[in-house]
Amino acid sequence: MVALKEGEAAFAASLPPRLGLGERACLAVAAHRRGLLATDGLDARETARTHRVPVTGTLGILILAWRQGILDRLEANELLGAMITLGYRS
């Protein structure tokens, strides 16, 4: 768990209420600490882009894990297949 700093908490509070508390907190941390926001939520992704915060999603993380050799192609494909079976959509 990461505690929000004062400026981050104020920024999170200024974000659209349609975003969840967790989305707002993560976006605030990414914006203030020059991080990457990992989310599949369309509203969160659009808000991040508005604030020039780089964004990735589940597929981006899966591809990165394959490119870095954390997963081989078969493992990545198996994980993607399992995600789809469980209802993942992109």
Side-chain angles (χ1 to χ4, degrees), residues 38-61:
T39 182
D40 290 325
L42 183 58
D43 285 341
R45 294 172 77 92
E46 289 174 355
T47 304
R49 286 188 189 103
T50 299
H51 293 281
R52 295 194 168 119
V53 173
V55 179
T56 192
T58 303
L59 290 180
I61 293 169

Side-chain angles (χ1 to χ4, degrees), residues 20-80:
L21 292 175
E23 290 173 317
R24 286 182 279 180
C26 290
L27 181 49
V29 168
H32 282 80
R33 301 182 194 186
R34 297 179 185 250
L36 172 71
L37 178 66
T39 182
D40 290 325
L42 183 58
D43 285 341
R45 294 172 77 92
E46 289 174 355
T47 304
R49 286 188 189 103
T50 299
H51 293 281
R52 295 194 168 119
V53 173
V55 179
T56 192
T58 303
L59 290 180
I61 293 169
L62 191 59
I63 290 167
L64 181 63
W66 168 69
R67 286 184 178 159
Q68 291 185 346
I70 297 167
L71 300 171
D72 63 31
R73 187 172 45 157
L74 179 61
E75 291 169 321
N77 281 330
E78 286 175 353
L79 279 173
L80 180 57

Side-chain angles (χ1 to χ4, degrees), residues 80-88:
L80 180 57
M83 289 166 34
I84 290 168
T85 298
L86 293 170
Y88 175 78

